[in-house]
Amino acid sequence: MINTHEILETITMIQDENLDIRTVTMGISLLDCMDADIDKACDKVYNKIVSTAKNLVPVCCEIETELGIPIINKRISVTPIGIIASACKEQNPVKFALALEKAAKQVGVNFIGGYSALVQKGFAGADMELIKSIPEALAVTEHVCASVNVGSTKAGINMDAVALMGKIVKECAERTADRQCIGAAKLVVFCNAPEDNPFMAGAFHGVGEPDVVINVGVSGPGVVRAALAKNSEGLDLTGVAELIKRTAFKITRMGQLVAQEASKRLGYPFGIVDLSLAPTPAIGDSVAYILEEIGLECCGSCGTTATLAMLNDAVKKGGVMASSRVGGLSGAFIPVTEDAGMIHAATIGALTIEKLEAMTAVCSVGLDMINIPGDTSADVISALIADEAAIGMVNSKTTAVRVIPAIGKNVGDELNFGGLLGNGPVMKISTYSPAKFINRGGQIPAPMQSLKN
Amino acid sequence: MRAVITVVGKDTVGILAKVSQKCAESNVNINEVTQSVLEDIFCMIMVADISKINKDFGAFSEEMKKMGCDLGMSVHVMHETIFNSMHRI
């Protein structure tokens, strides 16, 4: 029998500490939608998504009411469109983006990811056309998210793609300058992109995945922070790590339950639970506040990387035990504009891009949701992507860059996206030119996996 | 199938009666009740059998919540599974 304390603990987590399921993401393979005629292919894509995902939103709402746990987003990820578009004679992939948008609206999901290309070792098929069409695709759609994988530990880093992505990121912001440059917030540049990630903007459905699959991403920074606030007084760091582990276990169990229920009711296999601590701009639901609760005056101070490393590891250790299958990005997220504590730290100047870069070496994603001055050159953005990809490549982990050039704005100004994407200050970035390095192009060879130093 | 009903708020006359009344109307059988009043904060947890419930579970949960609002209490109805999965291996 469950005791009173446990019941009240669960209810407090949901009511007061922002515990929720961040997303139930249905991964749908579009490999069977390929066609030489792009219009036919788009019809097939639309029909497959609508018929497969028609029950996704109603079923999630049903689970929400029954279990009493909020499911914030319902999302879809699809096979990278770069692959699907390769079969088409006419290659204007924006038509696919419009088909995805129409399908997303029809089934009522919050986002659809997979306007993507995997080019870590080179461009094939429609990859180049797809990448070049990303700015237009993200400007004319609302729900579509794009991602490009430019590097991996096995392949190295495709520096031609990196050079191109600097320009694309900038163009995405320029095309949506009248809408807070939102285009760039829907584009992620990856190294070692996971194929089963339920989180946006980087979700896509890998080719090694089954036809349809249900992946779940949990949230819960607020719960971890509250657990530390209530119980960590006098604990040493071993004790703190234990406490985080235990809390992460409980959070993940909730994700596992929702994933199993959703999979059973929708009739598609359960894929993975992504054990991420995903913050929201709501006060209290912040990864930065967890770091501060452990003992930093402000996120970004010396000690931030070590604290984050411990947090990230403890979350994984607790979560792995709680779920039968774990995957995706799993760890702590540090998106600046989506995290009240990060926004504060960046605004007062305690948190810099350089410190964030160091943090990405020990946590689950990368330079995420960072506003940079609108006049930052494409070369600088490319070089930032290269740095981040290098961290991922060498450390055999996923890293990513999602920066938003704030067109017409400078350091100290602000962009406000609203909703889960939040708001935040424009941060300072080094303007010394890496142009010669970027313009060399080519491939950074894959790194040694032994002689680790 | 069992549900957990929690009621927390300022103690007033007839809370238990009203909650039980609503359960009876919905053909929900109350298995266990624990309650405590700390100073004047009332806290009650009920475990109830919902296998013969005569309406949609979501609607029942909504009605209970609304009744809680009218009484100035916070009422939650959730499936037992969530507590089991979170606290038991």
Side-chain angles (χ1 to χ4, degrees):
Chain A
M1 172 63 197
I2 301 294
N3 67 40
T4 316
H5 170 75
E6 290 166 337
I7 288 173
L8 291 178
E9 184 186 16
T10 303
I11 289 173
T12 313
M13 282 182 182
I14 296 170
Q15 290 303 310
D16 304 333
E17 295 163 4
N18 302 306
L19 175 59
D20 53 50
I21 300 298
R22 173 56 54 84
T23 176
V24 172
T25 303
M26 179 183 270
I28 303 175
S29 168
L30 299 181
L31 290 174
D32 52 357
C33 300
M34 286 180 157
D35 200 296
D37 180 336
I38 191 165
D39 294 313
K40 275 191 193 156
C42 286
D43 283 347
K44 287 188 197 169
V45 164
Y46 174 82
N47 290 333
K48 175 147 190 197
I49 295 172
V50 169
S51 61
T52 315
K54 61 177 185 296
N55 292 328
L56 176 63
V57 175
V59 162
C60 287
C61 293
E62 200 178 286
I63 295 173
E64 249 181 322
T65 1
E66 270 183 35
L67 297 181
I69 170 118
I71 300 173
I72 306 297
N73 269 199
K74 295 88 185 169
R75 302 171 175 170
I76 292 171
S77 63
V78 297
T79 311
I81 296 296
I83 298 171
I84 309 304
S86 298
C88 303
K89 284 196 195 99
E90 179 206 338
Q91 301 206 320
N92 176 17
V94 174
K95 283 186 176 173
F96 282 103
L98 293 169
L100 294 177
E101 175 76 7
K102 198 171 134 202
K105 280 190 180 149
Q106 178 61 34
V107 296
V109 290
N110 304 88
F111 285 111
I112 185 162
Y115 200 74
S116 308
L118 311 177
V119 295
Q120 59 270 28
K121 222 167 175 181
F123 302 92
D127 288 341
M128 184 63 94
E129 285 75 13
L130 182 114
I131 293 175
K132 287 184 173 159
S133 76
I134 287 175
E136 185 189 346
L138 297 184
V140 298
T141 59
E142 203 182 318
H143 299 84
V144 176
C145 292
S147 56
V148 177
N149 191 58
V150 296
S152 75
T153 302
K154 292 235 185 266
I157 303 171
N158 178 352
M159 288 301 292
D160 294 320
V162 169
L164 180 59
M165 287 318 293
K167 298 188 186 90
I168 298 292
V169 167
K170 197 151 184 198
E171 202 188 325
C172 282
E174 281 164 356
R175 279 199 182 238
T176 50
D178 57 336
R179 283 173 279 155
Q180 304 284 312
C181 310
I182 188 85
K186 295 184 286 178
L187 169 62
V188 182
V189 188
F190 272 116
C191 176
N192 288 324
E195 301 205 327
D196 51 6
N197 163 25
F199 285 102
M200 294 295 170
F204 64 87
H205 185 74
V207 286
E209 295 282 307
D211 191 44
V212 181
V213 74
I214 304 294
N215 297 325
V216 166
V218 295
S219 173
V223 179
V224 174
R225 192 200 59 81
L228 288 169
K230 278 183 237 164
N231 305 314
S232 74
E233 200 53 48
L235 290 183
D236 68 1
L237 289 170
T238 317
V240 170
E242 272 304 306
L243 186 57
I244 296 171
K245 248 164 71 178
R246 261 184 304 199
T247 315
F249 174 84
K250 290 177 184 169
I251 297 171
T252 312
R253 290 293 279 184
M254 191 92 88
Q256 169 80 9
L257 173 67
V258 169
Q260 277 170 336
E261 278 299 316
S263 149
K264 193 168 79 191
R265 292 181 197 196
L266 288 163
Y268 296 116
F270 155 55
I272 55 100
V273 173
D274 188 316
L275 318 170
S276 291
L277 285 186
T280 64
I283 297 294
D285 205 16
S286 152
V287 169
Y289 287 159
I290 300 177
L291 305 180
E292 292 170 13
E293 197 67 56
I294 295 173
L296 305 176
E297 182 185 356
C298 187
C299 176
S301 70
C302 291
T304 303
T305 311
T307 319
L308 182 63
M310 183 191 73
L311 170 67
N312 196 53
D313 183 63
V315 166
K316 286 183 200 168
K317 285 174 177 162
V320 160
M321 170 76 185
S323 171
S324 53
R325 288 172 35 150
V326 171
L329 295 165
S330 288
F333 288 177
I334 50 167
V336 176
T337 68
E338 297 176 7
D339 184 309
M342 299 271 175
I343 297 169
H344 171 72
T347 308
I348 62 170
L351 183 62
T352 60
I353 290 184
E354 291 73 18
K355 189 67 189 176
L356 281 161
E357 188 180 317
M359 291 159 74
T360 64
V362 299
C363 82
S364 76
V365 214
L367 294 171
D368 197 16
M369 290 306 286
I370 297 172
N371 302 330
I372 54 174
D375 59 2
T376 307
S377 74
D379 293 332
V380 169
I381 300 173
S382 291
L384 185 74
I385 294 169
D387 281 346
E388 199 51 36
I391 291 175
M393 173 182 77
V394 170
N395 294 303
S396 306
K397 73 183 286 292
T398 302
T399 49
V401 172
R402 178 163 53 149
V403 291
I404 302 100
I407 304 303
K409 302 198 176 191
N410 222 316
V411 177
D413 294 337
E414 198 176 87
L415 282 180
N416 190 349
F417 310 106
L420 285 178
L421 295 173
N423 64 284
V426 175
M427 295 174 74
K428 188 171 175 298
I429 183 168
S430 168
T431 50
Y432 291 103
S433 175
K436 189 174 169 193
F437 161 63
I438 294 302
N439 291 332
R440 282 181 191 270
Q443 182 94 4
I444 294 184
M448 291 278 291
Q449 288 301 296
S450 59
L451 301 175
K452 285 259 185 189
N453 289 308
Chain B
M1 267 204 306
R2 300 201 302 175
V4 175
I5 304 167
T6 58
V7 184
V8 181
K10 202 168 160 17
D11 196 14
T12 54
V13 174
I15 301 172
L16 183 54
K18 284 187 178 122
V19 174
S20 329
Q21 173 73 25
K22 193 57 103 188
C23 289
E25 279 170 18
S26 314
N27 205 26
V28 167
N29 186 30
I30 298 168
N31 296 141
E32 280 185 58
V33 183
T34 74
Q35 84 165 65
S36 62
V37 181
L38 214 68
E39 304 209 335
D40 58 348
I41 301 295
F42 176 89
C43 175
M44 177 172 75
I45 296 172
M46 281 177 162
V47 178
D49 182 357
I50 50 164
S51 50
K52 295 197 180 102
I53 191 167
N54 60 16
K55 58 181 74 158
D56 180 50
F57 180 80
F60 174 65
S61 162
E62 228 10 80
E63 280 174 22
M64 290 294 257
K65 207 183 217 172
K66 191 174 169 302
M67 188 190 68
C69 277
D70 297 342
L71 287 167
M73 315 279 291
S74 143
V75 179
H76 297 284
V77 186
M78 289 153 89
H79 263 255
E80 192 190 30
T81 44
I82 197 157
F83 302 100
N84 282 330
S85 74
M86 191 184 253
H87 299 284
R88 294 288 177 272
I89 299 174

